Amino acid sequence: MDFISDNKKEITIYDIARELNISPATVSRGLNDHPAVKSNTKKKIVQLAKDLGYQSNTFASNLRKKRTNTIGLILPTINSNFHSSVIAGVEKVANDAGYTLLISQSLEAAGKEAANAKTMFNSRVDGLLVSLAYETNNIEHFQPFINKGIPLIFYDRVFEHKNCTSIVIDNFKAGYEVTQHLISQGAKKLVHITGNLNRNVYADRLKGFKLALMENEIPFSKDNVLAININKEEDLQEAITTILGMPERPDGIFVANDTSAVILIKALKKEKIKVPGDIMVVGFNNDPISKVIEPNLTTVNYPGYEMGEVAARNLINHLNGVMDIISTNTIILRSDLIIRESSLRNL
């Protein structure tokens, strides 16, 4: 291919037409899946458009503008207290700075996330904030943003990339502190119910869990780590059945989120298992539900609103030339262990 794209140059249908030696009208029809365009030609048009980083003209009024004063936010699900808090934090900062916020959810599916990314790119967002879907294994679908120099910030569930900034809590430290707390209350056989270990949040908490066991000379067994799709209740029910069927039941369980921890406590109580007397339980996120369940749930406060504020402020400061986020690889926010009755034996 002789055509060399300048990443900062606006690619048009005329560039694609010139490269393929066809008319701009044919390119336009091909990009819009018009039946008059042959399948083979259509494939060539779509592939070249992708290779060159072509953005469809979603907002014609912004065609000649370099900025749209719009930022995008892609998150796994809106239906969670943590992500709702993130949205509130992002929206506050964006509104104060005069930016419009576009929000989409991946519903934990990699394909949906890729479609969302394409929509955001074609909508010409000035920058993008992303918390990765449960299923995502790579960030190839965000490459057009990186190629074109559109700032990309990952938060919570992140992917390390030299051109992207990540905003997280210290999940390793949080996992370690939870486990140390359970051990301090007398736990000797611990189980960790976690999510997809390809996601940093779950992998790092497991590392903290392992270190605490090692330091207290408690043997680690992979059988005591139940990695499930933490967002599917049927998977959680299978994990609970596994725990109830263990020859020697655990006396401390660390669960990846509060909703799952509450479901676990209800299941244990149904089986006449006392919490914390027989089994201590700790969740994660400090959702409102943690203070409704009886006993109240020990958890880790995850600063969603602050994470949203920090992510949006860093992105907008970069766009406004106040700072360069590319030089900042990772921003770590504080989290706190909140001890309540579900894990307290030694009062």
Side-chain angles (χ1 to χ4, degrees), residues 108-121:
E108 300 288 12
K112 175 70 170 168
E113 182 178 275
N116 290 342
K118 184 177 180 180
T119 299
M120 291 290 183
F121 186 73

Side-chain angles (χ1 to χ4, degrees), residues 127-260:
L128 186 63
L129 306 174
V130 180
S131 182
L132 293 171
Y134 194 84
E135 296 178 355
T136 299
N137 292 320
N138 62 68
I139 60 166
E140 181 182 339
H141 44 292
F142 294 113
Q143 196 62 42
F145 292 87
I146 297 169
N147 290 346
K148 200 151 190 177
I150 300 170
L152 176 61
I153 294 180
F154 294 109
Y155 73 90
D156 182 41
R157 299 182 189 172
V158 304
F159 192 99
E160 291 186 11
H161 190 285
K162 64 180 181 179
N163 295 118
C164 305
T165 297
S166 297
I167 302 176
V168 295
I169 64 166
D170 190 337
N171 283 284
F172 172 83
K173 179 173 175 282
Y176 176 83
E177 288 179 346
V178 166
T179 312
Q180 282 284 21
H181 166 67
L182 287 169
I183 294 170
S184 76
Q185 296 297 305
K188 297 187 184 306
K189 183 174 175 57
L190 293 93
V191 164
H192 182 27
I193 299 177
T194 186
N196 182 352
L197 294 174
N198 288 326
R199 292 277 71 81
N200 61 295
V201 289
Y202 304 122
D204 289 348
R205 290 173 206 169
L206 176 58
K207 290 174 186 174
F209 176 79
K210 287 180 176 180
L211 179 62
L213 293 183
M214 184 181 74
E215 287 188 354
N216 288 276
E217 299 182 346
I218 296 175
F220 169 78
S221 170
K222 63 180 182 180
D223 294 335
N224 291 346
V225 176
L226 305 178
I228 61 172
N229 187 334
I230 200 69
N231 298 301
K232 286 189 176 179
E233 190 166 339
E234 55 266 36
D235 286 19
L236 177 61
Q237 292 297 344
E238 284 186 23
I240 292 171
T241 300
T242 298
I243 289 169
L244 293 174
M246 288 180 172
E248 186 183 351
R249 282 181 183 163
D251 50 12
I253 304 177
F254 170 25
V255 190
N257 64 42
D258 289 341
T259 300
S260 299

Side-chain angles (χ1 to χ4, degrees), residues 294-342:
E294 190 61 41
N296 285 185
L297 180 66
T298 294
T299 185
V300 174
N301 186 47
Y302 209 145
Y305 187 87
E306 182 188 356
M307 187 168 280
E309 281 189 312
V310 170
R313 189 174 298 116
N314 276 271
L315 180 59
I316 291 171
N317 282 345
H318 175 85
L319 291 170
N320 293 340
V322 177
M323 65 176 290
D324 180 9
I325 58 170
I326 303 302
S327 62
T328 305
N329 191 248
T330 304
I331 298 171
I332 300 176
L333 303 183
R334 176 187 175 90
S335 64
D336 298 290
L337 178 63
I338 300 176
I339 299 172
R340 301 192 182 113
E341 292 84 355
S342 71

Side-chain angles (χ1 to χ4, degrees), residues 265 269 275 292-296 341:
I265 289 174
K269 289 166 77 173
V275 177
V292 176
I293 187 69
E294 190 61 41
N296 285 185
E341 292 84 355

